[in-house]
Amino acid sequence: MAATSTERSAYAFPQQRLKRVMSDPDKDPLVLVACGAFSPITFLHLRMVEMAYDYVKFNTGFEVVGSYLSPVADAYKKNGLASAQDRINMCEMAVSNSSTSVDLDLWEASQQEYQPTAIVLDHFNHHLNDILRGVETIDGQRKPIRVAFLAGADLLDSMTMPGVWSEEDLEHILKEYPLFVLERMGTDLGHTISELDRFKGTIHVIHQLIQNDVSSTKVRLLRKQGMSIRYLVPDSVVSYVEEHDLYRS
């Protein structure tokens, strides 16, 4: 079970699943960070990380040395948002039982105020490079880790909507951190990327070879209608949602 609110105040950056020595010294180390509500976490969230690993392996000069989920804090005030503690618990269950590659970082979720994504990515960059000093290569050298932002196509769409992102944050994110975007049915990524043309070199589109259109919004809707969510989210999350009677109103 995830830490309580009191225990979360003693923050420690998670390193258990972070690769400390690279396999290929000719590549550059990369850490994937998926920020979001995760209300609740679904199989597609976990699958997105796996697809990103494959994309990076076959299409870039990076080697993924770690990946993280970073749930937003309660201060985000989004419709359908369960408490930070409930979302942390569900994410931890999903990560513990369904994945060996992705870890859960609690820093963002533990903040009293909403933290812009740019600040969250800076947080990862600080811990990975300023504190941990990057990652070691098999020949004994150290390399700085490149932090990348992993997101769904709807988030990329939002970057072209007036007033959603501050221009300062958008410039900072897309200049400092590669963006890996998972395509979703019904989203015209080509048009969206053309509107962000000045950043196109840092935007990578991950195509779904097997289409999966599961979303937290759809899971919450099924719950509200009294329908099953099994096989859309991990079994442990199904049990938690039912036990705590989440997403019924």
Side-chain angles (χ1 to χ4, degrees):
M1 186 63 64
T4 65
S5 299
T6 301
E7 291 168 331
R8 293 205 322 264
S9 62
Y11 173 76
F13 185 74
Q15 305 175 41
Q16 297 89 333
R17 296 183 176 183
L18 183 65
K19 199 172 183 180
R20 304 305 296 147
V21 180
M22 293 185 67
S23 301
D24 188 342
D26 294 327
K27 292 192 172 184
D28 294 319
L30 187 78
V31 162
L32 300 162
V33 177
C35 303
F38 304 108
S39 190
I41 187 169
T42 72
F43 275 127
L44 185 55
H45 289 126
L46 300 172
R47 179 67 186 146
M48 177 173 67
V49 176
E50 296 297 319
M51 285 186 278
Y53 268 74
D54 283 342
Y55 178 92
V56 170
K57 177 181 178 181
F58 293 109
N59 297 279
T60 76
F62 292 113
E63 177 184 329
V64 179
V65 295
S67 56
Y68 292 90
L69 305 181
S70 180
V72 297
D74 288 330
Y76 187 50
K77 303 295 183 186
K78 178 182 178 180
N79 289 336
L81 195 69
S83 72
Q85 191 61 60
D86 282 328
R87 290 181 289 111
I88 286 169
N89 290 345
M90 289 186 284
C91 283
E92 186 171 66
M93 289 173 179
V95 166
S96 298
N97 298 332
S98 304
S99 175
T100 58
S101 57
V102 65
D103 213 335
L104 178 65
D105 183 69
L106 305 184
W107 180 82
E108 182 183 2
S110 67
Q111 301 304 300
Q112 295 301 309
E113 297 181 357
Y114 169 69
Q115 300 297 312
T117 303
I119 299 296
V120 176
L121 296 174
D122 285 347
H123 151 79
F124 279 93
N125 189 49
H126 170 65
H127 277 274
L128 291 167
N129 290 310
D130 297 338
I131 296 178
L132 296 179
R133 299 188 301 112
V135 64
E136 189 176 348
T137 63
I138 55 175
D139 55 7
Q141 300 181 52
R142 297 199 73 82
K143 283 189 173 185
I145 296 172
R146 194 77 185 270
V147 174
F149 185 19
L150 176 61
D154 49 347
L155 183 137
L156 184 65
D157 255 352
S158 74
M159 287 182 167
T160 64
M161 297 175 183
V164 177
W165 295 78
S166 76
E167 191 63 27
E168 182 181 359
D169 282 357
L170 201 58
E171 290 275 342
H172 182 68
I173 292 169
L174 294 178
K175 284 184 176 180
E176 296 295 327
Y177 305 108
L179 174 60
F180 291 82
V181 182
L182 180 68
E183 69 170 358
R184 298 196 76 145
M185 289 186 292
T187 302
D188 184 0
L189 285 180
H191 175 72
T192 302
I193 292 174
S194 69
E195 293 192 38
L196 296 168
D197 185 65
R198 66 193 188 279
F199 302 117
K200 64 181 180 181
T202 64
I203 299 174
H204 304 262
V205 177
I206 303 170
H207 297 290
Q208 293 198 63
L209 299 181
I210 300 175
Q211 289 292 330
N212 185 336
D213 198 34
V214 174
S215 71
S216 298
T217 301
K218 292 176 180 178
V219 170
R220 293 195 303 269
L221 181 60
L222 290 175
R223 277 289 295 170
K224 189 174 181 179
Q225 295 176 342
M227 301 175 73
S228 171
I229 61 171
R230 195 168 298 279
Y231 308 122
L232 300 176
V233 302
D235 285 346
S236 56
V237 175
V238 174
S239 299
Y240 188 93
V241 167
E242 292 176 347
E243 179 184 346
H244 292 82
D245 201 30
L246 300 178
Y247 311 121
R248 294 302 299 272
S249 59

